[in-house]
Amino acid sequence: MDRRSFIKKAGVAGAGAAAASVLAAPAIAQENPKITWRLTSSFPKSLDTIFGGAVDIAKHVSDATGGNFTIQPFAAGEIVPGLQAADAVSEGSVEMCHTCSYYYVGKDPTFAIGTAIPFGLNARLTNSWYYEGNGNTLMNEFYAGHNLYGMISGNTGAQMGGWFRKEINTVEDLKGLKMRIAGLAGKVVEKLGVIPQQIAGGDIYPALEKGTIDAAEWVGPYDDHKLGFNKVAKYYYYPAFWEGGPVIHSFVNLAKWNSLPKNYQTVLIDACAFANTSMMAKYDKKNPLAVKQLVSEGTVLRPFSQEILEAAYGAAQTVYAEITASNAAFKKIYDDQVAFKKEGYLWMQLSEYTFDTFMMIQQRAGKL
């Protein structure tokens, strides 16, 4: 090939590359637009693990989009009160929130299923129901009616049953107690004589300290110790039969979700899935250390008696019968989850339960 022919061909190729570059730039810009969202959390920054789920989401979204899609997390109260986070998203005053679905049970009891219901699923089965069962589809059909799109974005695992000023041995001991408790659990314990109170996380300590309430449940040892509940209540009960595997959701305004480029939707879904897995891992590391610390500081650990658990289970079935009789949305999702639960626990009693029980026996014998 002579020099003139080579230059001519190179010039044509160069012009083609330049044209392709000019054409590609707007397309790339269109696919990866600059978008900035605000996220309002239902949790204070002091609760680094649960508030940290929102921080994880924001970081992963920014990193995955080269900073083109940014989400700025705000703690409870910085934009709206913690228990109004989903309301702000639904109304469109903020694009996104990180909250618990069951905080909005006053609007519709179906919201409770989104987080956890008494004697529902553990964390493993919750993930399976959402990711592989019908959970995500069914819940988002419901959330759409409230102008929300939801993605599971955290799980604490089975929680503790809460802090009490006195020992609780029988159902009779529960009667008349004012207790901070969320979701449908309030309706269940109400049938046992408890007076349920819904109070945001940051307001629980002063309510316990002042005696406005007699008992409170929050999450588990790590968060509860950070909030100082052991300073105002001595007895720490387990388990939270109402929260075997409670979900923390990211809710996005439905119109905002639908307007997101498909690749940004995928990035956000993946970021929420990471936050979901990461939060559980963090609690599994931090709670064992925290419960030792609480006991060393004088906390008295107590299991709920079999009498209380059986009474609560019966009360829960009554509550579900009452709701399903008049709420078609609740019944549809509840029935699906119950069917999933029956199959799930049939398997888990063979595998997880048997293995874990053996390992716990070794731990108690000092062989681990």
Side-chain angles (χ1 to χ4, degrees):
M1 180 184 295
D2 62 30
R3 180 172 176 275
R4 284 175 296 177
S5 176
F6 175 80
I7 291 173
K8 182 178 180 182
K9 290 180 179 179
V12 171
S21 176
V22 170
L23 289 173
I28 292 172
Q30 190 173 19
E31 291 176 2
N32 299 284
K34 290 280 188 180
I35 294 177
T36 300
W37 279 6
R38 296 183 304 165
L39 180 156
T40 182
S41 173
S42 284
F43 315 107
K45 289 180 180 178
S46 60
L47 298 180
D48 56 315
T49 302
I50 198 164
F51 177 79
V55 176
D56 284 342
I57 291 167
K59 183 178 187 306
H60 277 254
V61 167
S62 179
D63 288 350
T65 62
N68 285 329
F69 184 11
T70 60
I71 298 171
Q72 184 176 1
F74 291 86
E78 291 183 338
I79 298 179
V80 295
L83 298 183
Q84 296 175 25
D87 298 331
V89 174
S90 178
E91 294 163 2
S93 57
V94 66
E95 293 85 2
M96 185 175 175
C97 69
H98 191 235
T99 187
C100 291
S101 180
Y102 68 7
Y103 290 161
Y104 312 96
V105 69
K107 296 177 180 297
D108 189 313
T110 310
F111 274 102
I113 306 177
T115 301
I117 57 176
F119 303 100
L121 304 173
N122 65 17
R124 279 272 301 271
L125 290 178
T126 295
N127 281 341
S128 183
W129 182 63
Y130 268 103
Y131 289 140
E132 296 297 326
N134 297 321
N136 199 54
T137 298
L138 291 175
M139 288 310 305
N140 270 316
E141 285 178 0
F142 168 74
Y143 293 141
H146 296 268
N147 202 28
L148 299 169
Y149 182 82
M151 293 162 282
I152 62 173
S153 305
N155 200 304
T156 67
Q159 295 190 358
M160 292 292 282
W163 297 87
F164 293 77
R165 293 182 180 275
K166 65 175 186 177
E167 285 194 70
I168 304 296
N169 298 311
T170 67
V171 174
E172 189 66 26
D173 293 333
L174 291 170
K175 292 181 179 178
L177 282 181
K178 292 175 289 183
M179 182 179 182
R180 185 274 175 192
I181 189 166
L184 284 186
K187 288 188 175 296
V188 171
V189 297
E190 190 173 32
K191 290 188 178 295
L192 304 182
V194 173
I195 304 168
Q197 310 284 316
Q198 180 133 303
I199 303 173
D203 299 324
I204 298 173
Y205 181 93
L208 263 178
E209 184 181 36
K210 295 173 184 176
T212 306
I213 55 176
D214 306 303
E217 58 83 30
W218 178 238
V219 176
Y222 180 72
D223 283 348
D224 291 4
H225 186 256
K226 285 181 77 72
L227 291 175
F229 296 151
N230 58 312
K231 298 175 183 177
V232 289
K234 180 179 180 180
Y235 297 98
Y236 199 22
Y237 279 82
Y238 61 90
F241 53 81
W242 52 90
E243 290 180 291
V247 167
I248 294 85
H249 262 90
S250 288
F251 287 126
V252 178
N253 177 274
L254 189 58
K256 289 290 185 180
W257 172 256
N258 289 333
S259 69
L260 269 185
K262 181 66 176 178
N263 59 326
Y264 280 11
Q265 289 182 346
T266 301
V267 164
L268 186 50
I269 289 170
D270 289 347
C272 290
F274 171 81
N276 185 48
T277 303
S278 178
M279 187 182 294
M280 184 78 261
K282 290 173 183 174
Y283 276 119
D284 281 344
K285 179 183 178 183
K286 295 176 178 181
N287 279 333
L289 301 176
V291 75
K292 288 182 181 179
Q293 184 66 30
L294 285 167
V295 171
S296 74
E297 293 174 8
T299 294
V300 179
L301 291 175
R302 289 284 187 270
F304 282 124
S305 67
Q306 193 67 19
E307 176 193 335
I308 289 174
L309 291 175
E310 291 287 353
Y313 187 84
Q317 305 317 303
T318 300
V319 169
Y320 299 143
E322 291 170 353
I323 298 173
T324 56
S326 60
N327 189 315
F330 184 96
K331 178 174 172 34
K332 178 181 179 180
I333 302 173
Y334 174 75
D335 287 350
D336 184 87
Q337 190 180 92
V338 167
F340 189 90
K341 178 169 58 178
K342 286 179 180 178
E343 296 298 324
Y345 278 113
L346 179 65
W347 162 243
M348 295 198 99
Q349 67 182 302
L350 299 178
S351 57
E352 299 292 330
Y353 177 77
T354 307
F355 178 76
D356 286 349
T357 300
F358 177 81
M359 294 305 295
M360 290 169 190
I361 291 171
Q362 306 315 303
Q363 193 271 343
R364 290 179 181 179
K367 295 181 181 180
L368 289 185

